[in-house]
Amino acid sequence: MRSKHLLGLLMLSAFLFFTGCSSEEKKDTGTEQTSKEADKKSEDGNESVKVDKGLLNVGVTLPASMFEGEDMDSSIAEAEKEGIKVTKNDDGSVTYKMSKAKHKEMMKEMETELQKTIADTKNGEDYPSVKEVSHNKGYSEFTLEVEREAYENSFDGFAVFGLGLSGMFYQLFNGVGPEKYEVKILVKDTSTGEVFDEVIYPDAMEETEEES
């Protein structure tokens, strides 16, 4: 389905945005940012995903930074093939306006991909210490049940990153504001039931960038 290809482009753009925006901020470490500049940056709508749910249509606005180094025209062409109206905004962002039915279809496909990620995490060969993954309805909280010793002595912690990123994508495209979205991941010892680790996204991504 073409819509799945479009979803892939949107999610790829979102992934590049999330992994790249912190790096861009780090380039300015040699200069001090005044409080006014910080306020201006926080108010700049060009650096957030916006979802406008109207009575008949839904508008998803992706910031210009999501398209850096990407073929914007290709993404737009794919969207228009799906009957989605695309508008290039003056600030470089792009607004995809679609019917509520189309947005519902996109969210359903995103949920399907998220469920696949969950299944691969607990049943695949990449994270052998992970035995179970549960979540709430909005994908804002996940619980990983793991064999603690094996988990702590492996790279299975990368499973947390994948779920955190997927949960953030789902919330953002479903209309949760950039200032409100959050994904909490609890890591529980399957033998004792003890929660021995808690990771909050996007905070964890910012902390990782500060440490690097």
Side-chain angles (χ1 to χ4, degrees):
M1 292 177 64
R2 287 195 190 119
S3 55
K4 287 188 177 180
H5 181 54
L6 171 61
L7 174 62
L9 288 171
L10 292 175
M11 292 188 71
L12 173 61
S13 297
F15 175 79
L16 292 171
F17 170 67
F18 277 120
T19 56
C21 61
S22 295
S23 297
E24 287 298 319
E25 291 175 3
K26 287 178 70 64
K27 291 179 181 178
D28 295 327
T29 53
T31 59
E32 292 186 2
Q33 185 180 46
T34 66
S35 59
K36 288 184 179 181
E37 289 173 334
D39 290 341
K40 183 178 185 300
K41 184 172 183 179
S42 66
E43 294 170 1
D44 189 354
N46 191 40
E47 290 300 321
S48 64
V49 177
K50 292 184 178 180
V51 179
D52 179 21
K53 295 185 178 180
L55 292 176
L56 300 176
N57 298 298
V58 176
V60 177
T61 300
L62 305 182
S65 53
M66 281 193 176
F67 296 94
E68 290 179 0
E70 298 302 309
D71 186 353
M72 180 186 291
D73 292 334
S74 176
S75 176
I76 291 174
E78 286 294 331
E80 290 178 337
K81 286 179 183 178
E82 287 293 310
I84 297 173
K85 182 180 179 182
V86 183
T87 303
K88 291 183 180 180
N89 303 310
D90 292 339
D91 61 2
S93 63
V94 177
T95 298
Y96 295 83
K97 190 172 185 180
M98 65 196 81
S99 66
K100 282 197 168 184
K102 178 61 67 176
H103 182 257
K104 184 177 180 180
E105 177 186 346
M106 184 181 78
M107 293 309 303
K108 183 64 177 177
E109 290 173 359
M110 188 173 287
E111 183 172 20
T112 297
E113 290 300 313
L114 210 164
Q115 285 291 339
K116 184 177 183 299
T117 297
I118 292 171
D120 289 344
T121 299
K122 64 182 180 180
N123 299 323
E125 299 179 355
D126 292 336
Y127 311 110
S129 70
V130 179
K131 301 306 177 184
E132 185 58 72
V133 179
S134 57
H135 59 86
N136 63 359
K137 185 177 180 180
Y139 299 101
S140 61
E141 183 171 318
F142 296 84
T143 299
L144 275 68
E145 296 183 31
V146 307
E147 293 179 346
R148 182 170 182 174
E149 185 176 355
Y151 177 85
E152 293 182 330
N153 289 285
S154 68
F155 293 102
D156 288 4
F158 281 113
V160 172
F161 177 75
L163 292 172
L165 205 62
S166 297
M168 289 193 296
F169 288 160
Y170 184 86
Q171 290 185 65
L172 282 171
F173 284 99
N174 201 33
V176 178
E179 71 286 349
K180 295 181 179 180
Y181 76 102
E182 178 183 278
V183 179
K184 178 190 292 185
I185 300 180
L186 306 174
V187 186
K188 179 190 294 187
D189 186 339
T190 189
S191 62
T192 66
E194 176 192 358
V195 174
F196 63 89
D197 195 15
E198 178 180 298
V199 184
I200 306 293
Y201 284 91
D203 295 354
M205 296 178 69
E206 296 171 0
E207 291 171 2
T208 299
E209 284 295 333
E210 290 174 357
E211 293 172 359
S212 62

